[in-house]
C-alpha cells in the first residue's frame, strides 16, 4: 500500500507524520489478555487525567488544531482517541467489538493518536491519499450512518473515503474474517519518534493477540 499526503493537509499541518502498519492476522471475537491491558490503561488515565486535561495531550491537541484549520468544530466531531479516553474518564466501559477493533482502540488511547484500522482486502487500488473532506461527499461511518465529513481529514482509495480521525468507513471496516490488516497512525503533532513507538506497540499487540508476526510498518509525511 502507498500513502500520499495531499497539499491540502500539508497546508494546515506541514509537520504531519504518519505510519502505516501492514500485517497478516487472525481475528477473534474476544481476548481476555487484551482487555486486561485496556482496563489497566483506563485505571491509569482516571488517576492522571480529566475530561478537560485530556485535550492537552499532544496527539489530541494537534488533531483538534487541524480540525479547526480545516473548518471543523473538534468539540462536535471529536477525534476518536479523544472519544475513547473521554469515555474511560467518565467511568464508562469501552464497547467491546472484536480483538482487532479492541487492539486498535488500545493503541489509540495509549498514545493519543487517532488511528484507523482497516481490512486491507477491501481497499480499491493500491494507493491511499490523505486529503480534506468535501461538501456533500458520501461517507458512512461505522455504526454512525451517513456523516458530514466536510472539513475533516480523510483518507481516500480509488472509490472514495475510507477513514477520518472521527470515524472509519463501513465499507472497509475490520471483521472477524479479516486476514490482511492495515493500520494508519495520524501524527498531527509531527512527533516521528512517538509515531514510530505507536507503530511498534501495535506490532507487539499483534504478535501477542492476533497470531501474527507483527508485519511491517513505514513512515509517510
Amino acid at each position: 500500500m502507498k500513502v500520499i499526503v495531499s497539499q491540502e493537509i500539508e497546508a494546515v499541518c506541514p509537520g504531519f507524520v504518519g505510519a502505516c502498519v501492514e500485517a497478516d492476522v487472525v481475528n477473534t471475537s474476544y481476548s481476555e489478555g487484551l482487555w486486561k491491558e485496556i482496563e489497566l490503561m483506563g485505571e491509569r488515565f482516571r488517576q492522571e487525567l480529566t475530561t478537560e486535561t485530556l485535550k492537552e495531550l499532544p496527539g489530541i491537541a494537534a488533531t483538534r488544531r487541524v480540525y479547526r484549520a480545516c473548518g471543523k468544530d473538534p468539540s462536535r466531531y471529536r477525534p476518536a482517541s479523544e472519544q475513547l479516553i473521554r469515555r474511560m474518564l467518565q467511568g464508562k466501559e469501552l464497547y467491546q467489538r472484536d480483538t482487532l477493533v479492541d487492539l486498535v482502540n488500545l493503541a489509540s488511547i495509549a498514545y493519543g493518536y487517532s488511528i484507523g484500522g482497516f481490512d486491507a482486502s477491501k481497499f480499491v487500488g493500491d494507493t491511499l491519499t490523505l486529503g480534506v473532506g468535501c461538501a456533500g461527499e458520501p461517507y458512512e461511518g461505522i455504526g454512525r450512518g451517513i456523516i458530514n465529513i466536510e472539513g475533516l481529514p480523510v483518507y481516500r482509495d480509488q472509490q472514495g473515503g475510507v477513514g477520518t480521525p472521527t470515524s472509519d468507513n463501513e465499507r472497509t471496516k475490520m471483521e472477524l474474517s479479516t486476514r490482511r490488516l492495515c493500520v494508519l497512525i495520524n501524527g498531527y503533532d509531527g512527533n516521528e519518534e512517538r509515531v514510530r513507538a505507536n507503530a511498534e506497540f501495535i506490532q507487539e499487540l499483534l504478535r501477542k493477540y492476533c497470531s501474527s508476526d507483527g508485519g511491517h510498518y513505514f513512515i509517510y509525511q
Side-chain angles (χ1 to χ4, degrees):
M1 183 60 60
K2 293 176 286 187
V3 185
I4 298 170
V5 179
S6 73
Q7 291 184 347
E8 290 176 299
I9 294 296
E10 290 180 356
V12 296
C13 188
F16 174 86
V17 178
C20 176
V21 181
E22 298 177 297
D24 293 323
V25 295
V26 176
N27 198 7
T28 55
S29 58
Y30 176 78
S31 169
E32 182 178 357
L34 178 61
W35 266 90
K36 285 182 179 177
E37 292 200 39
I38 292 172
E39 289 167 355
L40 287 172
M41 189 75 66
E43 290 175 10
R44 195 189 90 195
F45 281 158
R46 283 188 288 273
Q47 293 174 358
E48 298 176 354
L49 295 171
T50 68
T51 54
E52 287 303 311
T53 60
L54 81 90
K55 298 175 186 177
E56 299 169 7
L57 294 175
I60 292 174
T63 306
R64 290 174 65 90
R65 285 195 298 271
V66 169
Y67 272 36
R68 290 193 187 95
C70 292
K72 212 67 168 178
D73 180 356
S75 294
R76 184 177 178 189
Y77 294 85
R78 298 184 193 278
S81 53
E82 182 181 345
Q83 294 176 41
L84 292 166
I85 299 173
R86 185 182 179 85
R87 187 172 181 84
M88 284 180 152
L89 296 177
Q90 291 172 334
K92 301 175 182 176
E93 291 187 358
L94 297 189
Y95 298 109
Q96 193 277 318
R97 300 299 188 191
D98 58 53
T99 299
L100 283 180
V101 172
D102 301 338
L103 183 153
V104 170
N105 284 345
L106 173 58
S108 180
I109 64 178
Y111 284 81
Y113 292 128
S114 288
I115 298 177
F118 309 92
D119 185 325
S121 69
K122 297 178 180 179
F123 289 144
V124 179
D126 64 356
T127 302
L128 297 174
T129 302
L130 176 59
V132 179
C134 302
E137 183 171 357
Y139 192 93
E140 184 179 359
I142 298 174
R144 299 166 68 107
I146 302 301
I147 63 173
N148 172 18
I149 65 166
E150 181 181 5
L152 283 179
V154 58
Y155 287 95
R156 299 181 180 96
D157 64 6
Q158 287 184 7
Q159 185 171 320
V162 299
T164 75
T166 291
S167 175
D168 291 331
N169 198 303
E170 189 76 28
R171 174 169 65 89
T172 49
K173 72 179 181 182
M174 302 176 292
E175 299 181 281
L176 282 175
S177 59
T178 296
R179 292 295 177 266
R180 186 63 181 171
L181 175 69
C182 175
V183 181
L184 302 175
I185 303 167
N186 295 287
Y188 290 101
D189 62 352
N191 189 332
E192 181 175 336
E193 181 179 355
R194 191 165 173 80
V195 169
R196 286 186 181 276
N198 201 167
E200 290 162 7
F201 179 59
I202 289 170
Q203 290 183 299
E204 176 188 339
L205 293 176
L206 290 173
R207 286 189 284 266
K208 288 165 69 174
Y209 301 118
C210 295
S211 301
S212 174
D213 65 2
H216 69 278
Y217 76 90
F218 62 87
I219 297 292
Y220 56 93
Q221 52 196 127

